[in-house]
Amino acid sequence: MDRVSSFDEPLLKLLGGATAKVMAEHLDLHTVGDLLHHYPRRYEERGKLTALADLPLDEHVTVVAQVADARILMFNNGRGKRLEVTLTDGSGRLQLVFFGHGVHKPHKELLPGRQAMFAGKVSVFNRKMQLAHPTYQLLDASDADEATEAVDAFAGRLLPIYPACKQLDSWRIAKAVDAVLPSARDAVDPLPASLREGRGFTPLPEALLKVHRPQTKADVEDARARLKWDEAFVLQVALARRRYADAQLPAVARRPVADGLLDAFDAKLPFTLTEGQEKVSKEIFDDLATEHPMHRLLQGEVGSGKTMVALRAMLTVVDAGGQAAMLAPTEVLAQQHHRSITEMMGELAEGGMLGGSDRGTKVVLLTGSMGMAARRQALLDLVTGEAGIVIGTHALIEDKVQFHDLGLVVVDEQHRFGVEQRDALRSKGKQPPHLLVMTATPIPRTVAMTVFGDLETSVLDQLPAGRSPIASHVVPAKDKPHFLSRAWERVREEVGNGHQAYVVCPRIGDDAEEAEGKGGKKTKAKKQAADEDPEKRPPLAVLEIADELRKGALAGLGVEVLHGRMHPDAKDDVMRRFAAGDVDVLVATTVIEVGVNVPNATAMVIMDADRFGVSQLHQLRGRVGRGSAPGLCLLVSEAHEASPARARLSAVAATLDGFELSRIDLEQRREGDVLGQAQSGVRSSLRMLTVIDDEEVIAAAREEAVAVVAADPELEHLPELRTVLAALLDKDREEYLDKG
């Protein structure tokens, strides 16, 4: 059998149909290689052999003893069964207990007089020592040597506990691993020999044996260190090759022009750029001046001035004879960006129009819901080059849209765009355009290196002068209802002082599920369930809360709603009136999360705040305190004080540092969501590596990967690494890397 194919062999051949089917369907394990990379989640310690008289409390022990008696007891009016077994070893006695479905097998096997080994954790019940649901192995009393050997093999071992499923428990997975372990010696080692020896790593076959069947804790450490490196290195090589390939593409260099649009824009700015904005602008201008496409991620806190930096990059490209396109994830945002950019540019955004500047250009909006005439004009302005800047949703990517000379694409909020859109846009330019991706979600360095690893990263971490601090507080609505009343009083006070407020809810409130419930019965049952456990009630809804506020706590104020299912014109109308100060309180869903800019809005009340993620709460909060008056954010929750949900809210209230919060968020959600795997359902290629804890490994692996790819871009001299990469980058994984 050659070295690769033993790993590619289907499990069906080795394990039999039923087991292989469960592994494929429930654990996404199909080949020998998949199973060998299905690592134990933790290890149970069985403990050394202990006499019954010396049992330590709360520790894992292994005992060899004889069954003195076993009896089944009924409880819960005969609905529950419990098997109690008494053991003796001559030094003392010990009770075992098994419950529920787990009583049948031991009841048949643990007959009085049988000798066996038992392993479990010692606890006390009714002042007696006991083991609950211990693992055990029967011993053949007639063969003393065999019994001794079995005891040695069983006691004192680290027992691997595998990620399992209802249909296949950990010990059956362990049995299957035993069947494929001999194939570990055929493992293809992805690390170049010099790297492996330089860092003193355990050979891969040995690491696989040690991770599945460790003799000691040191074995586990050894194996983990090696396997983490493999994952980090292979992923970083994939990303480095992508960056290398992008760097080989041709692009038109777009260099700044003196006395052009950018200089005219800078001259009319009413404030000076922050040091951070200057630094990041320079990084972007340097990239734009090269003859291969820029691929840069611009991350900055809410309100750190990312749009300003992106606009200056777009003006540079227009000065250099090209066009720039900005893509927003929603129509509301595209309109918002168009409004704020034309306001910032003033007469410079009216090129070719009466009263426009002779150095100006046209800034057009293109969205799916525009009228035909406006759309036709926008398309014409793009193809003739009359419009230097276009702002829109992914409607911009449709075939009909043609550019005169697309030089730069700015994508707002990367995670909403897949690779298909990026590629479609790329094909719009005569040569691939430069790409700038903006995100307001602060991303810890390791995640940026892993998830956005094909982009160079710039960070804006200073807030511009004049931005006000935001005070955040948790409002425990269930424990202290008067706190919620006070929250609405605070909103009235802000409006009384000439300001405005947002109220955010998780749900719109016109869903079909509620319509069903209008018969009464369902609603009643739901209400009862909700009263008993707030987690069970549906999240609060915009339409209901707006209604309650108009009639109650905020009666007399101008309260309007905004949500994603409204007609685009209606949405735009509400936003326009809110921005103009004609609406006091806007009750909205998270459509306001990104990009909405109303400096006069100073207060935000987030209902059911525990139903939102940490990053999302941080994004939402960034909508207030955008002017000179301080911001206030109230996080309303019915979660219990000791719950993880409340801990999360307290963390958000305690800091305005988005990077700190993203770390907390990541620690709570772990990698699955961060790496986009939760959405795609594809098993993450990271089984051993944890992005949040292994920063040093990832950084070092990235450095090594860059060096390897620079020296040998096609990996001609590293066939093993090529083989492993091909396995990692099957279609799903490629897509996951591409989507970032």
Side-chain angles (χ1 to χ4, degrees), residues 274-290:
T274 65
E275 222 174 287
Q277 286 174 317
E278 292 276 15
K279 177 175 145 286
V280 170
S281 289
K282 183 179 177 335
E283 290 171 353
I284 292 170
F285 292 160
D286 288 349
D287 281 1
L288 290 173
T290 60

Side-chain angles (χ1 to χ4, degrees), residues 655-670:
T655 176
L656 291 171
D657 180 342
F659 286 92
E660 176 55 28
L661 285 174
S662 67
R663 267 199 97 83
I664 293 167
D665 194 19
L666 197 50
E667 272 162 9
Q668 287 176 341
R669 294 187 301 145
R670 302 313 294 184

